Amino acid sequence: MVSPLLLIVSYSFMGSGELKEVCGAVLSGMKGMAGFRFFPAYPTLRAYVQILLDSPEFFTSFWNSCIQTGGILLGQFLVAVPAAWAFANFRFPGKNVLWFLYMLLMILPFQVTMVSGYLVLNKIHLMDTFAAIILPGMFSTLPVFILRKTFAAVPREIIETAKVDGADEFRIFLSIGLPLGKAGIFAILILGFLESWNAIEQPMTYLKTAAYWPMSLYLPQIMEKNASLAFVASMIMLVPALLLFFFGQDYLEQGIAASGLKG
């Protein structure tokens, strides 16, 4: 599990010549067999300097990933959190049927809804735009599923006491639901970030213009041209996910445990 990560770190400090020597059979179609080298013989920062200072297309893809991921996370916070609170605490006609549809959509893979999603986005003229990635992502059903269990665990006594004190539903949601559901909210944001940051199929299907491509589509393109830059770009793409996971690990564990998924 750790070996691929160590190889990415090691290979990002190798020059083009050393990379061809080590894994040219895979990257360049050379004869022979690829090898492993966890420590570069001639470490260099040339690839880092080139991609950070002389690769505007990399920064374009990086900010594309930030815009698409940030839009999805903001949308999930504004849509999934109130929806989960409503499913957990309100009674309304058709609630069970709607929840069944949520569960059905959650288990369907992207390949099943890809064509229908394409037709809808094309009909409303959103194909080849950031909205084609952000809108379907912000209405994801998994965050609602996780948060519903989290909000359902909020003691009813607290909610009833707040109502007796004169708090309306919106006030209860802001003052009780959000603070007590903080672990679950952080959990869905972390999971949403990891899914959106690494998404490949959705951008490949809905984005035709290369200027809108995120890093997940940019990396395969440069791998064919310059392996050194590809490993450096992989390192840079890996860092935000690692930092978010390490700093939010406790919230992620608490949120998943509260949702009942750990069993």
Side-chain angles (χ1 to χ4, degrees), residues 20-33:
K20 287 184 179 180
E21 178 185 345
V22 176
C23 49
V26 175
L27 301 178
S28 304
M30 299 172 59
K31 294 183 179 179
M33 298 183 65

Side-chain angles (χ1 to χ4, degrees), residues 65 68-69 72 110-111 114 133 193-208 212-221 237:
S65 293
Q68 294 171 24
T69 303
I72 290 174
F110 172 74
Q111 292 81 358
M114 177 176 63
I133 306 299
F193 175 88
L194 296 176
E195 181 181 3
S196 305
W197 189 256
N198 300 314
I200 294 180
E201 294 172 324
Q202 293 87 341
M204 187 181 296
T205 304
Y206 300 143
L207 300 178
K208 303 303 180 184
Y212 294 146
W213 286 0
M215 285 194 297
S216 56
L217 295 186
Y218 172 76
L219 287 178
Q221 302 297 319
M237 185 176 181

Side-chain angles (χ1 to χ4, degrees), residues 97-144:
V97 175
L98 184 59
W99 183 248
F100 174 79
L101 292 177
Y102 261 76
M103 295 300 97
L104 180 63
L105 290 172
M106 187 180 69
I107 64 175
L108 290 179
F110 172 74
Q111 292 81 358
V112 174
T113 60
M114 177 176 63
V115 175
S116 58
Y118 183 96
L119 295 175
V120 171
L121 291 171
N122 186 61
K123 184 66 175 180
I124 58 180
H125 306 292
L126 290 181
M127 283 293 299
D128 204 23
T129 65
F130 287 145
I133 306 299
I134 295 174
L135 284 179
M138 64 186 290
F139 291 102
S140 175
T141 56
L142 179 61
V144 181

Side-chain angles (χ1 to χ4, degrees), residues 78-99:
L78 296 177
V79 174
V81 177
W85 178 261
F87 274 116
N89 295 281
F90 297 158
R91 293 182 179 179
F92 51 88
K95 175 181 176 179
N96 293 333
V97 175
L98 184 59
W99 183 248

